[in-house]
Amino acid sequence: MQQTNKSPNGTSFHGQTISLSRNELQTICACAPASYEDPDDKVQYEWNMETASGDVFTIYDWKEYRFFRDDETIEWHIGAHTHEIAEEALDEIDTAIAELN
């Protein structure tokens, strides 16, 4: 899993989520998210990433509609082009979390 310069256009939610703080996500993604910081937006933070096999996915908050603390655990959505890529991304995120601990 690494940050990507590839376009995330066409990615969508396929049912995979992860519960972490923004600080934890920023650590495992090893990069700063695209930050919109508007609580009226459906998405305030988003990371554009790719799996080890080179498939693009995104990690983003969805409809929080509020400011939240950097250390507050919330549910993040994983967007991908297919359900299988989203599952692969979730597995890689889980591995990164395990390596942190």
Side-chain angles (χ1 to χ4, degrees):
M1 176 177 80
Q2 64 184 15
Q3 186 176 16
T4 188
N5 291 323
K6 297 176 184 175
S7 173
N9 287 348
T11 59
S12 61
F13 183 60
H14 293 274
Q16 288 72 26
T17 62
I18 191 84
S19 293
L20 294 169
S21 71
R22 190 177 77 81
N23 284 343
E24 290 169 315
L25 266 177
Q26 193 156 319
T27 298
I28 65 169
C29 292
C31 60
S35 175
Y36 309 107
E37 297 190 31
D38 181 350
D40 295 328
D41 258 348
K42 291 180 184 176
V43 174
Q44 294 179 69
Y45 297 98
E46 178 178 80
W47 286 262
N48 296 329
M49 306 295 294
E50 65 182 75
T51 63
S53 59
D55 293 308
V56 175
F57 70 96
T58 59
I59 306 169
Y60 57 95
D61 64 304
W62 182 248
K63 293 186 177 182
E64 284 294 323
Y65 291 128
R66 64 186 177 86
F67 288 110
F68 50 89
R69 296 182 326 273
D70 292 345
D71 63 346
E72 180 181 348
T73 298
I74 67 164
E75 185 176 83
W76 300 87
H77 285 209
I78 299 171
H81 289 111
T82 67
H83 178 80
E84 292 76 21
I85 295 170
E87 284 287 331
E88 179 182 1
L90 182 57
D91 288 344
E92 291 185 19
I93 294 166
D94 285 339
T95 297
I97 293 165
E99 289 173 358
L100 274 181
N101 300 324

